Amino acid sequence: MTAERLRERRRGGRRTGGAARAGAGKPMANPAFRRLSNPYAPIEQYSADQIEAIHDTSLTILREIGIRVLSDQARQIYRAAGADVDEATKHVRIEAALVLDAVGRAPTQVTLRTRNPVRQVTAGGKALAFATVGGPPNVSDIENGRRPGTLAAFRDLARLAQSFDVIHLLNPMVEPMDVAPPFRHLRMTRTMVTQSDKVPFVYCRGIQAVADALDIIRLANGLTEELFTRTPCCFTVVNANSPLQLDDLMCKGIIEFARRGQLMILTPFTLAGAMAPITLPGALAQQNAEALAGIALAQMVRPGTPVAYGGFTSNVDMKSGAPAFGTPEYVKAAFASGQLARRYRLPFRSSNVNASNAPDAQAAYESQMALWGAIMGGCNLLMHGAGWLEGGLTASFEKFIIDVEMLQMFAALMQTESFDDDALALSAVREIEPGGHYFGTRHTLARYETAFYAPLLSDWRNFETWQESGALDATRRANRIYKQTLADFEPPALDASILGEIDDLIARRESEGGADLER
Amino acid sequence: MTAERLRERRRGGRRTGGAARAGAGKPMANPAFRRLSNPYAPIEQYSADQIEAIHDTSLTILREIGIRVLSDQARQIYRAAGADVDEATKHVRIEAALVLDAVGRAPTQVTLRTRNPVRQVTAGGKALAFATVGGPPNVSDIENGRRPGTLAAFRDLARLAQSFDVIHLLNPMVEPMDVAPPFRHLRMTRTMVTQSDKVPFVYCRGIQAVADALDIIRLANGLTEELFTRTPCCFTVVNANSPLQLDDLMCKGIIEFARRGQLMILTPFTLAGAMAPITLPGALAQQNAEALAGIALAQMVRPGTPVAYGGFTSNVDMKSGAPAFGTPEYVKAAFASGQLARRYRLPFRSSNVNASNAPDAQAAYESQMALWGAIMGGCNLLMHGAGWLEGGLTASFEKFIIDVEMLQMFAALMQTESFDDDALALSAVREIEPGGHYFGTRHTLARYETAFYAPLLSDWRNFETWQESGALDATRRANRIYKQTLADFEPPALDASILGEIDDLIARRESEGGADLER
């Protein structure tokens, strides 16, 4: 019977709808997607006792084994705070009380300012925000294939990010390999603040590069030095060099971000079986030790500086050593990482990841696994939300659009509707003949325009109509949508005098030779 | 840093692994996937009060509005049980106490017998089982395109279902349009029991067709009439003709299945905005009324007969009337339907559905949304688990393989690992240099062969290797895998004398002209 009812349904005049919109490729402004709050209780992977066992193991690691810290300055800060530092091996061993005291000083929630107040992002509690892909050296689309990242690709991805309300933060979308490294941070940051008024990212690539990027962002926000230091406006991600090592640039990033009061996300990158134990509880204990060590350092520099707890535990294929993402193990680790973050009352960062080499069904199902793990794990800040492909080695324009569709579906899932007598609809049921339909009822007519999620990419037309219109699969439709979105793009307002100040700063720094990335 | 670590990882000798297995296309026997138990607490869409409000509204619908019942025999059963029957309009109105008393007689759990005991399926509690697609009139693969279903396609899909341990039940995978309707049930049932030893489906297409199919299944199980009636060995799905109508054949199916003690899944097919109110609470109240009416009828025929509560509330695109699946609304309805099923302590049925016209990224992400809604909603019996495409109008061979991969990932997610000192891995962490790796440790070597989920379809090789080997996307790899799986197929054991009895029965029924599908 179901199939018969469906055939009847699908014979109806489906000439418009999702696909017609998809064909037009207009990004749909949806202010409801600008601030998301997750109404669901998080899924828990482990019992409270098991989380305590992971917690205890990580504290034992920090106390007995310690973490190797390659920055002299960071070791000095740890020592001054009371940690046991071995200068010969560069090992820092920290007692539990010292770690927990420092971590306890971190705020439970942080609000990131934007020059356009509607773009402000809150991290923590039930708030949920999505960031673009960050870091790939390559970019791809299905027409031009995979090639090294450029500043133009970086700009185009920033424009896509700006175009969809469901994207809240900009990661460094692709590495602009056509810009010389000493100047790269200047061009990337300028592109972010001119093409978008959303929260930008800053790389920890040395003290000077961080200072330059923060200055540009400070100017874009129209803030004084003093006010900027009290107003988080951007974020960075600090990865441990797992297992159990913090390198020099990462330490400098932690110290600089803490001094300037900007948000840092401490994210050990722990692939179980490779850089972490092959068992999930073990990998999570190591992740936790590394995250707590970094968060403690930040709080030792400046108590109360905003931080987030990043979980990025996945696994490798043990037959080949290949990294895997969006696996069942990844999902379990995301659920557990959310529990750990909440254990410390910290905002939780997770990621939308996959290992596919093409923006295909594998990319979609691995990403969905990762998204459900992250979001139902209680994620506050979702990194790599749109565009990540190939285990993070490529930013894909089509995957960006596929991801926006998926993120919008989650954003719609987060919306709660009224639940009253009118929603229970008994009066509407009374109006209908058995076997009839509700299309013309007053109850339907009052609600049909906004009742359900309207897709960007999904094509719900019947097979014949879809075939007549070219039988484009989702990836090819995504290609059209990204190009149309770029064609329609208009940059956000930025005061001309502010842009002048930014360009003066960049010109000066460029004439000085840019940043020394080793410092 | 993450990207750099990844590049290092991916430069490693990834010449084998997932894709190598995918290329071989050998279905991987995994006995751990034969009995699944869901360790997670279900996600709840509504508060307990809101669920009670939906429950109360549905009881008001049954008491005040009633349901139209097109079967004389069914109306007689309702009347004999104490319902108020209007023979002129065929409306049956049932008091809450009568409905709840009847529903309360249904068992909370049912075990479905199979001739091979390892294939036995339990429905209810935390048990989770997956069924194939059922019902499409068309079949497709990417080489031959979409065409009407045939018995050969039905057989091939049954063979795929048999080949993967993660598939537990066979729905009627595709309609064999090349078999005349009076004989179709005979050929379909024979194909199911010869190609597979998993739990088969029986259509409610009239009393004779049901009796024939049940007889074949009884013979395949080697059971007497009497024993068969006490031993559920197969299942059917009964859809209401929503809104609020039970047609003649469906009623006959309910009555016949109850008499024979076989499992029926009562599943209203309620598309919000079309056959149900546009508001989810309203659509769910109608779904609940229809499901309870059918379940009550079954229990009036034979108290204690096994039933499951089916939820199939989705929505239409209000601009075109097109049905949509795997939407945010679908997910919410699945979470809520699970709550309702548990309210009545009944096994819960949900579905893996999508509206895509191709086995592409849309098919994958819509299916994933549906799967998470179903499984985290506490689903016991997942219908359309593998192969459903195009809103149920096509059974796709490639989608079957994509779905098997997704189901296997969920099956792996359902596995719980030991959590002890060895899993916490402190001793392994002690062995490792900071910045080193765990590949060669005793802890890793003892576990690497079974540590993580090994994919069937996902390709985790690096981009260059993938490209050199033909750059096949997931859909094209799925095509290879399904063909290889069919090439490798070996049917399960079936006693020759039993097969002889079945063929005698079929020959006799065929000589008699098959079944009258109107009775």
Side-chain angles (χ1 to χ4, degrees):
Chain A
M1 284 295 115
T2 300
E4 282 159 37
R5 296 303 301 273
L6 269 170
R7 261 166 286 176
E8 285 168 29
R9 284 277 82 242
R10 299 196 69 148
R11 269 190 220 107
R14 301 218 278 138
R15 300 293 140 171
T16 57
R21 284 192 296 274
K26 292 287 264 193
M28 289 172 299
N30 193 329
F33 293 169
R34 288 182 193 159
R35 302 277 168 82
L36 301 176
S37 179
N38 187 337
Y40 297 101
I43 295 180
E44 299 192 334
Q45 182 63 31
Y46 294 122
S47 70
D49 283 355
Q50 289 172 327
I51 290 295
E52 284 310 291
I54 293 171
H55 164 81
D56 289 341
T57 303
S58 66
L59 292 177
T60 303
I61 291 172
L62 289 177
R63 186 180 65 241
E64 289 185 13
I65 304 170
I67 185 162
R68 185 148 71 190
V69 178
L70 301 185
S71 152
D72 298 343
Q73 194 187 1
R75 287 197 306 280
Q76 212 171 336
I77 293 165
Y78 279 119
R79 189 190 304 110
D84 173 33
V85 176
D86 181 336
E87 282 295 330
T89 65
K90 303 187 174 177
H91 269 72
V92 174
R93 294 183 177 82
I94 328 176
E95 288 293 330
L98 182 55
V99 177
L100 296 177
D101 177 70
V103 170
R105 292 169 192 270
T108 60
Q109 187 166 305
V110 54
T111 296
L112 296 161
R113 182 192 193 277
T114 45
R115 67 179 191 265
N116 178 351
V118 305
R119 304 293 191 198
Q120 178 182 297
V121 168
T122 295
K126 301 298 285 179
L128 172 61
F130 300 137
T132 67
V133 61
N138 303 298
V139 66
S140 77
D141 72 342
I142 55 174
E143 287 167 322
N144 303 300
R146 180 197 203 240
R147 66 269 185 195
T150 59
L151 190 62
F154 185 96
R155 181 204 61 210
D156 286 347
L157 289 161
R159 289 177 172 176
L160 293 184
Q162 178 66 11
S163 299
F164 298 98
D165 278 332
V166 82
I167 303 288
H168 307 100
L169 307 97
L170 272 65
N171 262 309
M173 292 144 289
V174 70
E175 192 66 23
M177 311 289 266
D178 55 346
V179 181
F183 309 113
R184 213 173 268 174
H185 65 291
L186 298 169
R187 291 286 140 196
M188 289 164 79
T189 312
R190 185 188 191 279
T191 302
M192 285 194 276
V193 301
T194 56
Q195 305 305 310
S196 173
D197 54 12
K198 299 182 177 181
V199 178
F201 175 94
V202 172
Y203 263 123
C204 292
R205 288 181 174 171
I207 291 172
Q208 186 61 53
V210 169
D212 290 347
L214 294 185
D215 266 350
I216 295 170
I217 292 163
R218 181 181 64 74
L219 290 172
N221 276 277
L223 297 177
T224 62
E225 280 281 357
E226 197 272 332
L227 205 52
F228 180 73
T229 303
R230 288 190 283 121
T231 312
C233 300
C234 62
F235 71 109
T236 192
V237 172
V238 174
N239 299 123
N241 192 354
S242 305
L244 298 178
Q245 184 162 285
L246 275 174
D247 74 17
D248 189 48
L249 284 183
M250 288 294 122
C251 288
K252 284 177 176 151
I254 293 173
I255 295 166
E256 200 58 22
F257 261 69
R259 284 190 176 145
R260 302 293 293 271
Q262 302 299 313
L263 173 63
M264 79 190 86
I265 307 176
L266 277 297
T267 311
F269 183 54
T270 34
L271 290 176
M275 297 97 101
I278 195 166
T279 47
L280 273 191
L284 289 161
Q286 184 188 306
Q287 166 191 295
N288 202 54
E290 294 171 359
L292 294 185
I295 291 166
L297 176 60
Q299 300 303 321
M300 288 167 184
V301 174
R302 175 171 157 156
T305 199
V307 295
Y309 182 105
F312 209 144
T313 293
S314 191
N315 62 288
V316 295
D317 179 342
M318 292 313 295
K319 297 191 180 58
S320 67
F325 298 101
T327 58
E329 293 78 16
Y330 182 91
V331 174
K332 292 177 185 182
F335 292 161
S337 296
Q339 291 182 270
L340 289 164
R342 290 189 295 281
R343 166 76 178 71
Y344 308 111
R345 298 169 44 80
L346 294 172
F348 169 43
R349 165 254 160 103
S350 191
S351 308
N352 170 16
V353 287
N354 69 91
S356 185
N357 287 303
D360 62 355
Q362 179 187 338
Y365 66 68
E366 288 184 340
S367 267
Q368 276 277 340
M369 293 294 284
L371 282 166
W372 279 92
I375 294 171
M376 288 302 164
C379 171
N380 301 114
L381 292 165
L382 182 87
M383 299 292 110
H384 310 302
W388 157 299
L389 199 66
E390 206 193 297
L393 295 186
T394 290
S396 156
F397 281 102
E398 289 86 10
K399 181 62 166 34
F400 198 104
I401 299 299
I402 293 169
D403 283 330
V404 166
E405 177 78 301
M406 298 197 292
L407 294 179
Q408 290 190 159
M409 289 167 81
F410 277 97
L413 187 61
M414 297 298 125
Q415 312 294 314
T416 49
E417 288 82 28
S418 67
F419 193 108
D420 54 16
D421 282 351
D422 222 34
L424 285 163
L426 195 54
S427 62
V429 178
R430 284 205 175 93
E431 282 179 42
I432 301 302
E433 272 296 288
H437 65 75
Y438 287 79
F439 283 119
T441 64
R442 180 196 51 78
H443 190 261
T444 301
L445 291 175
R447 289 169 179 78
Y448 79 97
E449 283 182 326
T450 56
F452 305 125
Y453 172 65
L456 168 72
L457 171 64
S458 295
D459 189 332
W460 294 343
R461 293 176 302 176
N462 65 31
F463 183 83
E464 291 75 13
T465 311
W466 171 77
Q467 203 173 35
E468 283 159 22
S469 69
L472 297 183
D473 68 16
T475 303
R476 285 185 286 169
R477 296 196 305 275
N479 177 273
R480 290 190 174 189
I481 293 170
Y482 103 74
K483 288 187 289 189
Q484 189 62 50
T485 305
L486 292 180
D488 295 342
F489 180 74
E490 288 180 23
L494 180 61
D495 192 276
S497 69
I498 286 177
L499 183 58
E501 286 184 83
I502 290 170
D503 282 338
D504 288 349
L505 182 151
I506 292 174
R508 189 175 71 248
R509 296 293 303 117
E510 287 185 337
S511 74
E512 293 165 2
D516 177 353
L517 304 177
E518 301 302 310
R519 285 194 55 243
Chain B
M1 284 294 115
T2 301
E4 283 159 36
R5 295 304 301 275
L6 269 170
R7 262 166 284 174
E8 285 169 28
R9 283 278 82 242
R10 299 196 69 147
R11 267 189 222 109
R14 302 219 276 138
R15 302 292 139 172
T16 58
R21 284 191 296 274
K26 291 289 262 192
M28 287 172 300
N30 192 329
F33 293 169
R34 288 181 192 160
R35 302 277 169 84
L36 301 177
S37 179
N38 187 338
Y40 297 100
I43 295 180
E44 300 193 335
Q45 182 63 30
Y46 294 122
S47 69
D49 283 356
Q50 289 173 327
I51 290 295
E52 283 312 291
I54 293 171
H55 164 81
D56 289 342
T57 303
S58 67
L59 292 178
T60 303
I61 291 172
L62 289 177
R63 186 180 65 241
E64 290 185 13
I65 303 170
I67 185 162
R68 185 149 69 192
V69 177
L70 301 186
S71 152
D72 298 342
Q73 193 186 3
R75 286 197 307 281
Q76 210 172 335
I77 293 165
Y78 279 120
R79 189 189 304 110
D84 173 33
V85 176
D86 180 336
E87 281 295 331
T89 65
K90 304 186 174 175
H91 269 72
V92 174
R93 294 185 177 80
I94 327 175
E95 289 292 332
L98 183 55
V99 177
L100 296 178
D101 177 69
V103 170
R105 293 171 192 270
T108 60
Q109 187 166 306
V110 54
T111 295
L112 296 161
R113 183 192 193 277
T114 45
R115 68 179 189 265
N116 178 350
V118 305
R119 305 294 191 196
Q120 176 183 300
V121 168
T122 295
K126 301 297 285 178
L128 172 62
F130 300 136
T132 66
V133 61
N138 304 298
V139 66
S140 77
D141 71 344
I142 55 174
E143 286 168 322
N144 303 301
R146 180 195 203 243
R147 66 268 185 195
T150 59
L151 189 63
F154 185 95
R155 180 204 62 209
D156 286 348
L157 288 161
R159 289 176 172 178
L160 292 184
Q162 177 67 11
S163 299
F164 298 98
D165 278 333
V166 82
I167 303 287
H168 307 100
L169 306 98
L170 272 64
N171 262 308
M173 292 143 291
V174 71
E175 193 65 25
M177 310 291 264
D178 55 346
V179 182
F183 308 111
R184 213 174 269 175
H185 65 290
L186 299 169
R187 291 287 141 195
M188 289 164 81
T189 312
R190 184 189 192 279
T191 303
M192 285 192 278
V193 301
T194 55
Q195 305 304 311
S196 173
D197 54 12
K198 299 182 177 182
V199 178
F201 175 95
V202 172
Y203 265 122
C204 293
R205 289 181 173 170
I207 290 171
Q208 185 62 53
V210 169
D212 290 348
L214 294 185
D215 265 351
I216 295 171
I217 293 164
R218 180 182 64 75
L219 290 172
N221 277 276
L223 297 177
T224 61
E225 280 281 357
E226 197 273 332
L227 206 51
F228 180 73
T229 303
R230 290 190 283 120
T231 311
C233 299
C234 61
F235 71 110
T236 192
V237 172
V238 174
N239 299 123
N241 192 356
S242 304
L244 298 179
Q245 185 162 284
L246 274 174
D247 74 16
D248 189 48
L249 284 183
M250 289 295 121
C251 288
K252 284 176 176 150
I254 292 173
I255 295 165
E256 200 57 23
F257 261 68
R259 283 189 176 146
R260 301 294 293 271
Q262 301 299 313
L263 173 64
M264 78 190 86
I265 307 176
L266 277 297
T267 310
F269 183 53
T270 35
L271 290 177
M275 296 98 101
I278 194 166
T279 48
L280 274 190
L284 289 162
Q286 183 187 304
Q287 166 191 294
N288 201 55
E290 294 172 359
L292 294 185
I295 291 167
L297 176 60
Q299 300 304 320
M300 289 167 183
V301 174
R302 174 169 158 156
T305 199
V307 294
Y309 181 105
F312 210 145
T313 293
S314 191
N315 63 288
V316 295
D317 179 343
M318 292 312 296
K319 296 188 181 61
S320 66
F325 298 100
T327 59
E329 293 78 17
Y330 182 91
V331 174
K332 292 177 186 184
F335 291 160
S337 296
Q339 292 182 269
L340 288 164
R342 289 189 296 280
R343 166 78 178 70
Y344 308 110
R345 298 170 44 82
L346 294 172
F348 169 43
R349 165 256 160 103
S350 190
S351 308
N352 170 16
V353 286
N354 70 89
S356 185
N357 287 303
D360 61 355
Q362 178 186 338
Y365 66 68
E366 288 184 341
S367 267
Q368 276 276 340
M369 292 295 285
L371 282 166
W372 279 93
I375 294 170
M376 288 303 164
C379 170
N380 301 115
L381 292 166
L382 183 86
M383 298 292 110
H384 309 302
W388 158 298
L389 199 65
E390 206 194 298
L393 296 185
T394 290
S396 156
F397 281 103
E398 290 86 9
K399 181 63 167 32
F400 197 104
I401 298 299
I402 293 169
D403 283 330
V404 166
E405 177 78 302
M406 297 197 293
L407 294 179
Q408 290 190 160
M409 289 166 82
F410 277 97
L413 187 62
M414 298 299 125
Q415 311 295 313
T416 49
E417 288 81 28
S418 68
F419 192 108
D420 53 15
D421 283 350
D422 221 34
L424 285 163
L426 195 54
S427 62
V429 179
R430 284 206 175 94
E431 282 179 41
I432 300 301
E433 271 299 286
H437 65 76
Y438 288 79
F439 283 119
T441 64
R442 180 197 51 80
H443 190 260
T444 301
L445 291 174
R447 289 167 179 79
Y448 79 98
E449 283 181 327
T450 57
F452 306 124
Y453 172 65
L456 168 73
L457 172 64
S458 296
D459 188 331
W460 294 342
R461 293 176 301 175
N462 66 31
F463 184 84
E464 292 74 12
T465 310
W466 172 77
Q467 202 172 36
E468 282 160 23
S469 70
L472 298 183
D473 68 17
T475 303
R476 284 185 288 169
R477 297 196 304 274
N479 177 274
R480 290 190 174 190
I481 293 170
Y482 103 74
K483 288 187 290 189
Q484 189 62 49
T485 305
L486 291 181
D488 295 343
F489 179 75
E490 288 179 22
L494 179 62
D495 193 276
S497 69
I498 286 179
L499 182 59
E501 288 184 80
I502 290 171
D503 281 337
D504 288 350
L505 183 150
I506 291 174
R508 190 176 69 249
R509 297 292 302 117
E510 286 183 337
S511 74
E512 292 165 2
D516 177 352
L517 302 177
E518 301 303 310
R519 282 194 56 244

